[in-house]
């Protein structure tokens, strides 16, 4: 099922999302099963639970966002992160253009850590630690921001609107 998205002024986007304690929950599993196709359908490379109106520490991410089209073809593959935490990060940040499904048509540069090591639980409750760099590291940081009520427009020094003809 493709889920409706919460956009900019929706207060759910500004809440601190609640941690997930029970993994063996059919409602949670269904939500994850719906979030993945919703992300691909909307051409997103990441989607956090608050964006689909659930204030939970959960997000899905395209495994290799630089190959979005390959994964879009398969549709079911995603990194599922639950109760994530940035454990370590690079010394340096870099700026990269971002957008967000919850802030349609707006884009802007955001400075983020070049690489991050994130710990999280998968959909079965198993704990993982994953190191990422480049675009994937940015997506991790963008999605974790969502779980803390932060949007990229809060961090970008110049947001611009793109209107297609
Ligand atoms: Ni976003």
């Amino acid at each position: 099922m493709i889920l409706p998205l919460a956009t900019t002024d929706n207060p759910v986007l500004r809440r601190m999302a609640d941690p997930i304690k029970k993994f063996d929950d059919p409602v949670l599993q269904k939500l994850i099963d719906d979030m993945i196709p919703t992300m691909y359908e909307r051409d997103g490379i990441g989607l956090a639970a608050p964006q689909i109106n659930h204030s939970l520490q959960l997000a899905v991410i395209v495994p290799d966002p630089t190959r979005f089209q390959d994964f879009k073809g398969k549709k079911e593959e995603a990194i599922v992160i639950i109760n994530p935490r940035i454990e370590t990060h690079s010394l340096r940040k870099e700026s990269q253009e971002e957008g967000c499904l919850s802030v349609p048509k707006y884009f802007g540069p955001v400075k983020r850590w070049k690489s991050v090591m994130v710990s999280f639980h998968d959909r079965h409750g198993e704990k993982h630690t994953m190191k990422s760099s480049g675009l994937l590291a940015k997506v991790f940081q963008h999605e974790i921001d969502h779980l803390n009520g932060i949007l990229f427009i809060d961090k970008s020094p110049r947001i611009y609107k793109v209107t297609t003809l």
Side-chain angles (χ1 to χ4, degrees):
M1 195 174 101
I2 305 302
L3 304 164
L5 293 175
T7 51
T8 322
D9 295 328
N10 192 319
V12 72
L13 296 172
R14 296 309 192 170
R15 244 173 254 153
M16 289 287 287
D18 294 326
I20 290 169
K21 289 170 187 151
K22 191 170 177 281
F23 295 87
D24 179 21
D25 174 357
V27 177
L28 173 68
Q29 295 300 326
K30 174 77 166 83
L31 191 63
I32 295 167
D33 286 339
D34 288 343
M35 281 175 73
I36 297 169
T38 299
M39 170 177 72
Y40 286 114
E41 181 70 21
R42 311 274 194 210
D43 287 334
I45 51 178
L47 183 68
Q51 294 183 272
I52 44 104
N53 298 287
H54 288 265
S55 195
L56 294 170
Q57 296 268 335
L58 159 69
V60 297
I61 295 173
V62 176
D64 180 355
T66 60
R67 290 171 51 230
F68 174 78
Q69 289 302 335
D70 296 352
F71 287 102
K72 196 185 176 185
K74 297 181 224 158
K75 272 193 184 254
E76 73 283 358
E77 275 187 61
I79 303 170
V80 177
I81 62 169
I82 295 174
N83 306 336
R85 205 173 84 178
I86 295 174
E87 298 290 348
T88 59
H89 57 74
S90 54
L91 289 174
R92 293 187 182 199
K93 288 185 173 183
E94 66 186 359
S95 190
Q96 197 164 353
E97 296 296 305
E98 292 189 16
C100 179
L101 295 177
S102 291
V103 192
K105 297 189 169 83
Y106 286 86
F107 297 87
V110 181
K111 247 182 158 180
R112 298 193 189 271
W113 306 115
K114 292 178 82 166
S115 61
V116 287
M117 192 156 79
V118 177
S119 67
F120 58 89
H121 289 89
D122 66 22
R123 62 186 300 169
H124 308 295
E126 250 179 83
K127 188 134 187 213
H128 298 265
T129 304
M130 192 180 283
K131 196 172 178 202
S132 58
S133 57
L135 182 58
L136 182 59
K138 310 298 168 41
V139 181
F140 266 106
Q141 293 168 80
H142 178 116
E143 300 313 324
I144 291 171
D145 271 356
H146 272 300
L147 306 183
N148 293 311
I150 299 164
L151 298 176
F152 87 95
I153 50 176
D154 305 340
K155 293 188 164 178
S156 180
R158 44 177 198 284
I159 303 152
Y160 55 91
K161 190 173 186 179
V162 173
T163 41
T164 43
L165 296 171

